[in-house]
Amino acid sequence: MAEDKEVIIEYLKAKSKVKSKHYFKDFLELFPDKKSREVKKILSDLVKEGIVEYWSSGSTTMYGLKGYGKQEAAEEGDAEA
Amino acid sequence: MKFETPLLDQLEQGPWPSVVSDIKQEAAHRAANPNGLDYQIPQDCCEDLLGLLELSYKDMETHWKHGGIVGVFGYGGGVIGRYCDQPEMFPGVAHFHTIRVAQPSGKFYSTKFLRQLCDIWDLRGSGLTNMHGSTGDIVLIGTTTPQLEEIFYQLTHEMNNDLGGSGSNLRTPAACMGMSRCEYACYNTQDVCYQLTEDYQDELHRPAFPYKFKFKFDGCPNGCVCAMARSDFAVVGTWRDDIKIDQDAVKAYVGGEFVPNAGAHSGRDWGKFDIQAEVIDRCPTHCMSWDGQKLTIDNANCVRCMHCIDTMPRALHIGDDRGASVLCGAKAPVVDGAQMGSLLVPFVKVEQPYDELKEIIENIWDWWIEEGKNRERLGELMKRASFQKLLEVTNTEAEAFHVKEPRANPYIFFKEDEVPGGFKRDLADYRSRHQR
Ligand code: HEM
Ligand code: HEM
Ligand code: SF4
Ligand code: SF4
């Protein structure tokens, strides 16, 4: 689990300059051998630990590193709740 | 009021109730503060809301930004960040988040519950509510970030309630009032709704779906929660045996002893009840007949539209072998057009612990999470990947009622496991019979 968390944190850090919010599916691609439930568990744990946070438009939810990106900024194409 | 609102004022002119009047009423109430509350968000937020809305009408553009990271700890849904893009002009609504709260099943409220909810929201929010949102939950409109955890604590600890769903997760499930009041209920809608809400807490509060997913439970085809139009997974009550007929009661309707439609539509005189015109001829499949003495139904051709039962409820009753149909893929216009649900399972018994339903749901989720694109609803995936694929992932045998139209493509490709011996052949064996 700890290793898997590192994979996610590294990925988010590497991407942080260009992109602060990521769809759940982006993480599935990091772990091609894992079931979505397992990946969700890793992410939920990172949220609990305060490392990752959710961003929501109301209709769509994305994940990002806590403190990165502008909290109230809208994402292109998320114009409805 | 802080702002002149000539454009909004026009919205109060029509004969219908006006949201503008409601907001003004709340603004006046907050200004007067008759209960001496120590308001936790700006007292004049409703006045700023009116000012902002007026500006939006003037500019013909919204002044709300969309989305945010706000929420309560550990939950990925239930709170929707809302920020206005003119915070200096309208500081009272600079932060004005929406909170979704689970509605009681069938929307049965006690006055105590409503009072508690209003007390929390008067103190910690704008006082404005939306009873209920499109999904069916309670929508509390407008509060600031520091109030979120406080409200959540009070909702969960003092009211034994929970936040609803938002974002890419399971949305607050909804059911009609079903067996609690309604004789047409073919299964216990409220119980399934409650049970699945409990069983799928993780899906409700920790988003990991491509997009939103809704369940709705109608007890019969009358569809009081419109499950078939409003939910990705609609469970609609039905029966497999015959409509029960009380011939004496039919005669009583014909003779004028019983009022049709249980007395609805009584606002004007429609004349004497005419069973031929009002029931027999209105049956969508023309499967009923009336010979002046006896009502006959060809049940094999009844599509359970409910019309005859609704018209003569004392004479006709739903059958005894009850369950539900499952329809998948309904959605609103966003992204790829509106759709109604498509029939997947014509009849399933809906009995505790609801394993049969849950198996279908979970198979669908596994497929959709794996194959669905970001922001693609189940209905869109069904269109893109084919209804056949949905049958496959839910282990459903294709049947004639699954067919929407004759096929447009003349080719049929077998899958390897459908062909005896598969696609492999023994080349040596072949050559023993065929020269090069
Ligand atoms: C025991 C509680 C309730 C029952 C049995 C009940 C029943 C109904 C029924 C039968 C309708 C008509 C549906 C139709 O015409 O298709 C209706 C509509 C409506 N009810 Fe209730 N209701 C209840 C509580 C509430 C509460 C508490 C509210 C709001 C605070 C509410 C708001 C509405 C609204 C706004 C409509 C119109 C919805 C529409 O036309 O789209 N109801 N209700
Ligand atoms: C004149 C004022 C407004 C009108 C006419 C209006 C109208 C609507 C309508 C028609 C819907 C969809 C139906 C529903 O969900 O019930 C909706 C949903 C919503 N509105 Fe508004 N709205 C107004 C103001 C606001 C404000 C001020 C906010 C927040 C700052 C807001 C936040 C939302 C949200 C979050 C939803 C989604 C609710 C859900 O899906 O359950 N609305 N609104
Ligand atoms: S959907 Fe049917 S069972 Fe449910 S309340 Fe409406 S009429 Fe009654
Ligand atoms: S329920 Fe509808 S389809 Fe069935 S007999 Fe009555 S009117 Fe006809």
Side-chain angles (χ1 to χ4, degrees):
Chain A
M1 187 83 146
E3 266 170 51
D4 297 334
K5 286 182 186 167
E6 261 327 294
V7 172
I8 289 181
I9 296 168
E10 282 311 310
Y11 169 81
L12 289 173
K13 280 193 177 144
K15 291 262 173 176
S16 64
K17 290 230 164 55
V18 278
K19 213 169 143 194
S20 62
K21 306 183 188 85
H22 302 261
Y23 286 110
F24 179 68
K25 268 193 109 64
D26 300 345
F27 301 101
L28 290 183
E29 281 157 28
L30 296 180
F31 303 98
D33 300 331
K34 283 200 198 313
K35 288 218 169 285
S36 64
R37 271 169 218 281
E38 297 172 63
V39 177
K40 176 174 173 175
K41 223 180 154 315
I42 308 166
L43 276 164
S44 297
D45 254 40
L46 283 167
V47 171
K48 255 187 254 163
E49 290 165 22
I51 298 167
V52 166
E53 67 191 359
Y54 299 110
W55 179 94
S56 170
S57 70
S59 62
T60 312
T61 312
M62 301 177 91
Y63 294 81
L65 275 182
K66 193 168 183 133
Y68 282 70
K70 213 167 152 242
Q71 95 141 3
E72 65 268 35
E75 197 81 339
E76 204 56 45
D78 283 329
E80 100 299 337
Chain B
M1 295 285 157
K2 267 167 86 173
F3 304 97
E4 293 286 311
T5 55
L7 294 171
L8 293 187
D9 296 348
Q10 288 179 28
L11 294 175
E12 298 183 273
Q13 303 302 311
W16 46 80
S18 165
V19 67
V20 174
S21 308
D22 286 353
I23 301 174
K24 284 182 179 172
Q25 184 187 331
E26 185 58 20
H29 179 82
R30 288 177 76 90
N33 192 7
N35 300 321
L37 292 184
D38 177 17
Y39 288 120
Q40 297 295 298
I41 78 164
Q43 186 165 1
D44 58 359
C45 61
C46 293
E47 291 179 63
D48 281 357
L49 178 63
L50 288 166
L52 178 88
L53 205 52
E54 179 74 17
L55 184 66
S56 296
Y57 274 92
K58 193 162 148 265
D59 295 350
M60 305 229 274
E61 273 178 342
T62 182
H63 285 283
W64 292 109
K65 301 190 222 178
H66 225 84
I69 57 163
V70 291
V72 299
F73 188 69
Y75 274 40
V79 177
I80 301 154
R82 287 288 181 268
Y83 302 84
C84 110
D85 67 9
Q86 290 294 353
E88 289 83 15
M89 240 188 287
F90 309 105
V93 292
H95 298 222
F96 209 60
H97 311 318
T98 301
I99 300 184
R100 292 189 185 165
V101 178
Q103 79 285 7
S105 203
K107 298 197 168 73
F108 283 99
Y109 288 96
S110 66
T111 49
K112 178 172 173 231
F113 181 97
L114 289 171
R115 284 206 178 87
Q116 279 179 305
L117 188 71
C118 291
D119 284 347
I120 295 174
W121 197 237
D122 270 342
L123 181 69
R124 304 195 178 281
S126 68
L128 301 173
T129 66
N130 173 9
M131 304 288 275
H132 305 83
S134 299
T135 298
D137 48 7
I138 303 167
V139 180
L140 303 178
I141 302 170
T143 193
T144 57
T145 307
Q147 294 306 313
L148 297 172
E149 291 289 352
E150 308 280 345
I151 293 164
F152 180 61
Y153 182 91
Q154 285 189 281
L155 278 175
T156 48
H157 289 73
E158 293 166 18
M159 298 181 65
N160 194 22
N161 204 284
D162 199 2
L163 296 186
S166 69
S168 306
N169 62 7
L170 176 62
R171 299 306 183 83
T172 329
C176 76
M177 62 176 125
M179 286 181 172
S180 64
R181 277 177 62 89
C182 182
E183 67 197 40
Y184 303 151
C186 297
Y187 66 94
N188 192 338
T189 53
Q190 291 176 284
D191 191 60
V192 197
C193 187
Y194 180 77
Q195 191 57 49
L196 297 201
T197 305
E198 291 282 315
D199 293 353
Y200 293 127
Q201 282 289 300
D202 193 53
E203 283 73 12
L204 239 166
H205 298 309
R206 280 167 286 279
F209 287 157
Y211 204 18
K212 61 180 102 171
F213 194 94
K214 302 179 183 177
F215 300 143
K216 292 201 195 306
F217 305 93
D218 277 320
C220 81
N222 274 337
C224 290
V225 291
C226 269
M228 189 177 155
R230 303 202 300 150
S231 55
D232 303 81
F233 189 91
V235 182
V236 182
T238 190
W239 61 93
R240 308 189 261 210
D241 53 349
D242 296 349
I243 292 180
K244 291 187 283 191
I245 309 177
D246 175 345
Q247 298 289 353
D248 290 339
V250 175
K251 285 187 195 134
Y253 277 106
V254 174
E257 197 183 319
F258 295 159
V259 258
N261 300 297
H265 318 300
S266 55
R268 66 177 242 216
D269 184 9
W270 296 87
K272 191 175 169 335
F273 177 61
D274 178 348
I275 190 170
Q276 188 65 38
E278 291 177 47
V279 181
I280 312 294
D281 294 349
R282 299 242 170 246
C283 170
T285 60
H286 302 294
C287 71
M288 311 181 84
S289 54
W290 166 246
D291 65 5
Q293 288 300 313
K294 190 163 178 256
L295 179 74
T296 314
I297 299 177
D298 169 12
N299 279 277
N301 282 308
C302 163
V303 291
R304 282 146 303 213
C305 77
M306 296 299 291
H307 175 70
C308 58
I309 301 177
D310 288 337
T311 311
M312 303 192 296
R314 293 176 71 166
L316 301 178
H317 198 58
I318 58 173
D320 287 325
D321 186 8
R322 298 170 192 170
S325 303
V326 172
L327 298 101
C328 296
K331 59 176 291 293
V334 177
V335 185
D336 187 36
Q339 285 184 49
M340 296 276 271
S342 301
L343 182 64
L344 176 67
V345 184
F347 188 90
V348 57
K349 280 277 175 197
V350 188
E351 283 162 358
Q352 273 180 336
Y354 309 117
D355 286 342
E356 229 176 314
L357 269 187
K358 287 173 69 177
E359 190 184 324
I360 309 173
I361 292 169
E362 287 167 27
N363 280 332
I364 289 177
W365 280 347
D366 285 347
W367 175 51
W368 178 52
I369 293 171
E370 191 72 26
E371 296 296 327
K373 294 184 194 168
N374 294 323
R375 307 187 74 237
E376 185 172 56
R377 290 282 285 273
L378 175 62
E380 284 143 356
L381 176 59
M382 281 161 53
K383 257 166 96 177
R384 183 165 64 83
S386 85
F387 196 80
Q388 204 177 352
K389 193 75 200 165
L390 177 72
L391 294 177
E392 216 175 288
V393 300
T394 54
N395 306 310
T396 312
E397 284 277 330
E399 297 202 46
F401 56 77
H402 290 129
V403 177
K404 190 172 149 207
E405 58 192 7
R407 67 183 198 269
N409 174 337
Y411 294 93
I412 293 172
F413 292 98
F414 287 97
K415 285 194 219 107
E416 187 159 9
D417 60 4
E418 290 167 341
V419 181
F423 290 159
K424 287 198 190 65
R425 62 174 183 168
D426 182 345
L427 204 58
D429 174 57
Y430 178 81
R431 282 288 160 228
S432 73
R433 285 175 283 114
H434 301 268
Q435 297 185 12
R436 233 177 227 287

